[in-house]
Amino acid sequence: MDRGATRIDDQTGQALSVAATVMRDGTVMAPTEAGEEAAFFERHPVLAEHARRLLWSGRTNVRYSYISEDDVWHLVSIHALPDGFGDQLGRVVVQRTKPPFRLTLRELDVLTLMTAGHANQHIADCLDIKLRTVTTHVERILVKMGRLSRTAAATVAVDFGLLRLPTPGGGRNLQPLTVGLLDDGEASTDSRSGETVHRRGPTSAPRPLVIGTPLSLKGLAASDAREMMMSARLAVQEINAAGGVLGRPLELREMSCDIGDAEDVGRAVKSLIDHEVDAIASGYSAAEIQIQEMMADYGAPYLHCATMEAMVDRVRQDPDRLSNIFQICPSDISYGPRFIQFLDQLSQSGQWNPHSNRVVVIQPRWSQMDVGLRRVEQMADRRGLKLEIIDDLPAQGIDWSQVMRRVHAADPCAVFLAYYFPEENIAFLRNYLADPGRALVYTLYGPSVPAYREELGAAAEGVIWATTTGRAPSEQAQNFANRFEKMHGKPPGHSHAGLAYDRVHLLARAWHETGDPRGFRSVCEAIRRLPYRGVNGMYFMDNAGQSVSAPDPSSVDPSLSHPHLIFQIQNGQQALLSPSPEGQNNFRTPPWIAGKRYRLPAQYRAGV
């Protein structure tokens, strides 16, 4: 090894290039003084093994690409040189580089196998991805490399060393190329002595299993995104402390985006795919159809909680293409009917005496959302209820003062705010309490996020809210809440906090079960067919839509799904009203109906 041959990056302190001389038995000839080069080859012993195998093969030189466990690209050149005793030594030069032609890791895998002469179907089988995905990759490779044919691209790949080791897909997929002799997973024969030489495997640290998570950390629903992020981090920490999965640690790759901006969401998901993540676990966004199409091309598992029957129905309609898409919670279509049923239960039990038969439903526009309004209208008509539906509002930036005029004109006994996001939920309640009527306020999901109560304080007293997935009282859920609070210094929310924790465990269990995280088809099949009891209930998605199903509303046992939970904020706490053991929590008349009006702070009374 030459002293002084190492070049160092002035900004990062990392080696830009290193070199070593390797003997026929694989021994790296050490310098007089240990340095960056010695440390590099100790961390990556597979490179010396490649040099040893080149010497035994009888060939004289090879160039290839090597991606280290920290996703750094290296160009490796190995030359067989004579020593002073008639034998040969292997000269290994490793240069750190940026991805040539801006190729992604997956494109490099496809180019490597394409250069070895394999057809698209064989490449798809080797990489366990879909044929259509391979075709798309080949098209992009040709465009990026500026070549018109596979042959021309293959020639450039050999010249530039764009052949990846370890061999994509394993086995002997790169033979008879020289690079294929270095990493075929089999014994090789010395061309001169006929001696059988067995490969010694690399001992570098295993590459993490990466879960991509697009999160709205600064935009719409940012407080909810932080909840999901903290829960996922807890799950990853616990799994890694127990040894990871298949001896490999888990890692989150968090990508910030505005979930109300479809273009921004698409950018974030594309970036995660380009980073070759092993799965994507998402909340909800305005770009769910776009994400499903991108993930269908990629093939990795996509676990989302967009809570939309429209997304589930897409999977039903195209089960082959969308076989990697899973909605890990029941859909939205049960929200409206459950609201009407709950009003019935309150009235029939004598806990609530409505002053009118009018109900206002407020549903801002959100792509593909459907809370079951058609069925709500039918149920309301049978019960003699008159509906006023307000559905011409934007997804954010709503002028609530205009909405309040329409609400007060109807003088309803209940307002159903069919809207998820905490920010607009908070704005609605502030405006309503500035001049309250006599209506129950029933909303969706938003109050599950701690920021709702933190922001509103005592003003939130009496609000009713529902979720199709949440933490019902159980020992498992309480233990999760305790661990979350210990890690983050605050208790978790009552809905997607548990969901974000559970989906990491869903992925980890599927990876463990299949033994091959990059075998996307097998991993997705394991997610589909294996039931898993988590913090939020039972995940069983062996159905046409690959979704957690809605339960019987009266059931408190989430044996096959997640219970549809209805809470009321009482004394600053979340009191579970339904389903609930008899007498555990009773409905309380909201203070604005009972004559105990909450006086908003001055900053909210003017211009709310």
Side-chain angles (χ1 to χ4, degrees):
M1 187 182 302
D2 298 338
R3 294 182 61 188
T6 305
R7 294 193 298 118
I8 304 297
D9 188 322
D10 293 334
Q11 294 183 342
T12 66
Q14 294 180 317
L16 291 171
S17 66
V18 293
T21 300
V22 179
M23 300 176 68
R24 288 177 63 82
D25 64 356
T27 301
V28 178
M29 297 177 64
T32 304
E33 297 178 5
E36 175 65 22
E37 290 170 320
F40 182 87
F41 283 96
E42 287 176 2
R43 293 195 302 272
H44 306 284
V46 70
L47 301 177
E49 171 66 13
H50 290 165
R52 184 185 69 82
R53 292 179 68 85
L54 179 70
L55 295 176
W56 286 106
S57 74
R59 302 193 187 186
T60 57
N61 61 80
V62 68
R63 299 181 78 193
Y64 62 91
S65 296
Y66 171 69
I67 317 300
S68 57
E69 62 273 7
D70 53 357
D71 290 334
V72 175
W73 290 54
H74 299 86
L75 175 63
V76 181
S77 300
I78 307 176
H79 300 275
L81 304 174
D83 65 4
F85 303 95
D87 207 339
Q88 286 185 316
L89 301 174
R91 183 64 175 165
V92 185
V93 178
V94 185
Q95 294 178 302
R96 184 157 61 89
T97 182
K98 294 181 179 179
F101 302 104
R102 300 178 66 185
L103 294 172
T104 66
L105 286 175
R106 179 58 84 199
E107 288 168 349
L108 179 62
D109 286 344
V110 172
L111 176 60
T112 299
L113 295 173
M114 187 175 76
T115 301
H118 297 301
N120 285 3
Q121 184 60 66
H122 182 77
I123 295 172
D125 293 340
C126 289
L127 301 180
D128 198 17
I129 58 179
K130 298 176 181 178
L131 176 60
R132 176 175 173 178
T133 304
V134 174
T135 303
T136 300
H137 282 315
V138 171
E139 293 171 353
R140 291 174 179 170
I141 289 168
L142 295 180
V143 170
K144 288 183 176 182
M145 297 179 71
R147 296 297 183 269
L148 297 178
S149 69
R150 296 163 70 100
T151 301
T155 301
V156 173
V158 173
D159 290 344
F160 278 74
L162 298 180
L163 304 170
R164 185 181 181 183
L165 289 185
T167 304
R172 299 182 178 182
N173 286 313
L174 300 189
Q175 291 189 9
L177 298 174
T178 299
V179 69
L181 301 176
L182 310 186
D183 186 55
D184 64 358
E186 303 289 343
S188 62
T189 302
D190 182 354
S191 63
R192 291 184 292 182
S193 68
E195 176 186 354
T196 299
V197 181
H198 294 277
R199 178 181 178 188
R200 297 173 302 180
T203 59
S204 56
R207 184 176 178 180
L209 295 171
V210 182
I211 303 172
T213 56
L215 294 169
S216 188
L217 296 175
K218 296 181 180 179
L220 188 65
S223 56
D224 197 16
R226 286 191 289 271
E227 279 274 300
M228 289 186 268
M229 178 181 67
M230 290 189 292
S231 292
R233 288 179 178 178
L234 172 62
V236 167
Q237 181 188 78
E238 292 177 349
I239 292 171
N240 287 343
V245 178
L246 303 173
R248 299 168 63 179
L250 267 59
E251 178 180 297
L252 294 174
R253 188 178 290 274
E254 296 156 354
M255 188 66 62
S256 180
C257 62
D258 181 353
I259 62 169
D261 184 337
E263 184 176 342
D264 195 38
V265 175
R267 174 199 57 79
V269 173
K270 181 181 184 303
S271 178
L272 292 171
I273 292 173
D274 287 346
H275 278 94
E276 298 288 327
V277 297
D278 298 288
I280 291 184
S282 174
Y284 42 82
S285 76
E288 286 305 311
I289 293 178
Q290 178 184 353
I291 296 175
Q292 286 194 7
E293 291 301 312
M294 296 171 70
M295 291 304 297
D297 287 337
Y298 183 42
Y302 174 52
L303 277 61
H304 72 88
C305 44
T307 319
M308 290 190 288
E309 184 67 13
M311 297 301 102
V312 176
D313 194 54
R314 294 190 81 247
V315 177
R316 292 192 192 102
Q317 299 303 320
D318 197 353
D320 293 332
R321 173 163 169 74
L322 302 179
S323 61
N324 59 326
I325 312 298
F326 298 89
Q327 181 173 294
I328 58 171
C329 57
S331 294
D332 50 0
I333 56 172
S334 64
Y335 272 128
R338 185 71 187 100
F339 162 69
I340 298 296
Q341 290 172 349
F342 181 73
L343 294 185
D344 263 356
Q345 291 170 357
L346 285 184
S347 177
Q348 291 175 11
S349 66
Q351 298 180 74
W352 173 60
N353 294 310
H355 74 278
S356 75
N357 66 342
R358 293 177 295 277
V359 173
V360 170
V361 177
I362 304 173
Q363 181 177 296
R365 293 188 298 271
W366 182 253
S367 177
Q368 307 296 318
M369 183 178 179
D370 179 8
V371 295
L373 285 184
R374 180 174 299 179
R375 188 175 171 206
V376 166
E377 291 174 334
Q378 295 171 348
M379 295 173 68
D381 185 62
R382 288 197 298 269
R383 290 163 174 78
L385 295 176
K386 296 183 178 179
L387 294 184
E388 168 79 16
I389 298 177
I390 302 174
D391 59 0
D392 56 352
L393 307 176
Q396 52 186 317
I398 299 170
D399 182 354
W400 287 110
S401 61
Q402 294 289 338
V403 176
M404 289 305 123
R405 280 192 279 273
R406 297 168 69 177
V407 170
H408 290 315
D411 189 24
C413 65
V415 174
F416 176 35
L417 177 58
Y419 194 72
Y420 296 125
F421 302 115
E423 294 87 348
E424 295 293 349
N425 258 286
I426 291 169
F428 165 83
L429 190 64
R430 283 176 172 162
N431 277 268
Y432 185 75
L433 292 182
D435 182 21
R438 294 175 289 172
L440 298 180
V441 173
Y442 185 110
T443 186
L444 308 181
Y445 177 70
S448 72
V449 182
Y452 182 90
R453 284 175 294 154
E454 293 168 2
E455 184 78 13
L456 287 168
E461 185 72 12
V463 169
I464 304 167
W465 64 275
T467 179
T468 62
T469 179
R471 288 191 292 118
S474 70
E475 183 177 358
Q476 183 178 2
Q478 187 57 54
N479 288 339
F480 158 74
N482 293 340
R483 296 193 305 274
F484 183 102
E485 186 166 9
K486 182 178 180 180
M487 180 177 183
H488 298 296
K490 57 184 294 187
H494 279 67
S495 186
H496 278 197
L499 205 66
Y501 177 88
D502 286 344
R503 66 190 178 209
V504 174
H505 282 275
L506 274 167
L507 285 167
R509 195 271 308 274
W511 287 331
H512 174 79
E513 185 74 17
T514 62
D516 180 13
R518 298 303 292 187
F520 293 155
R521 295 175 187 172
S522 298
V523 172
C524 290
E525 178 61 21
I527 293 172
R528 175 188 173 98
R529 65 181 173 81
L530 296 175
Y532 173 75
R533 185 178 288 278
V535 171
N536 278 26
M538 180 64 78
Y539 298 83
F540 185 60
M541 295 173 282
D542 192 9
N543 53 67
Q546 298 192 157
S547 168
V548 172
S549 301
D552 180 338
S554 63
S555 172
V556 297
D557 180 11
S559 295
L560 297 176
S561 62
H562 299 180
H564 192 126
L565 305 176
I566 300 176
F567 293 86
Q568 184 179 37
I569 299 176
Q570 299 178 359
N571 299 326
Q573 302 297 315
Q574 302 286 15
L576 181 62
L577 300 184
S578 176
S580 177
E582 186 69 27
Q584 180 172 322
N585 292 304
N586 293 318
F587 164 79
R588 294 182 184 178
T589 302
W592 61 85
I593 297 178
K596 301 175 183 178
R597 291 183 56 178
Y598 174 75
R599 184 171 177 78
L600 285 168
Q603 64 265 35
Y604 300 135
R605 290 201 300 271
V608 290

